[in-house]
Amino acid sequence: MARILIVEARFYAHLNDMLIAGAKAAIEAAGHEAEVLTVPGALEIPGAIALAVEGGGYDAFVAIGVVIRGETYHFEIVAGESARAIMALTMDGIPIGNGIITTENEAQALERANPAAKDKGGEAAKAALALLELTERFPR
């Protein structure tokens, strides 16, 4: 049984709850256990994962958050830099499913977060588990 850490940026609580529900369902259906760690925003997710890799005893990670476009350039920075940092960690061999959804509006976010609809939380968890399998197949 693998230990999976879900790291969530708790900015849109109602949307995160749906993403986490989907992620937990996928992890538990695969026979693994999940724990949730909350950070302030999407930019803090990669740093929290990096810290947890060093001493947390987790086998894989799921990044959960919602970034909705606003009136400023901040959206592009948060969306791009969080994805870039997660990809950098993944390229270092850390199995991470990226469930940070980036949308134009809340309606799009609701559709993607809902486990009964697009279930992006569940998809991110499945991606993390698939990468975990690859790390076991190709150990470093």
Side-chain angles (χ1 to χ4, degrees), residues 4-7 45-53 58-64 82-100 121 123-135:
I4 314 300
L5 182 63
I6 299 169
V7 181
I45 291 173
I49 291 172
L51 290 170
V53 165
Y58 297 99
D59 302 295
F61 303 87
V62 180
I64 294 291
S82 62
R84 183 202 54 77
I86 289 168
M87 183 56 66
L89 292 169
T90 302
M91 295 302 293
D92 285 340
I94 301 167
I96 304 170
N98 187 348
I100 301 173
E123 286 182 14
K126 289 174 186 173
L129 294 173
L131 288 171
L132 177 59
E133 285 182 26
L134 287 177
T135 64

Side-chain angles (χ1 to χ4, degrees), residues 9-10 39-46 64-67 78-79 81-82 86 100:
R10 193 79 178 166
V39 297
L43 289 173
E44 288 76 39
I45 291 173
I64 294 291
V66 178
V67 182
V78 173
E81 290 301 311
S82 62
I86 289 168
I100 301 173

Side-chain angles (χ1 to χ4, degrees), residues 33-44:
E33 67 179 47
E35 182 178 331
V36 177
L37 173 69
T38 301
V39 297
L43 289 173
E44 288 76 39

Side-chain angles (χ1 to χ4, degrees), residues 68-80:
I68 298 175
R69 184 179 303 277
E71 297 176 2
T72 70
Y73 186 70
H74 187 66
F75 170 88
E76 282 82 3
I77 293 170
V78 173

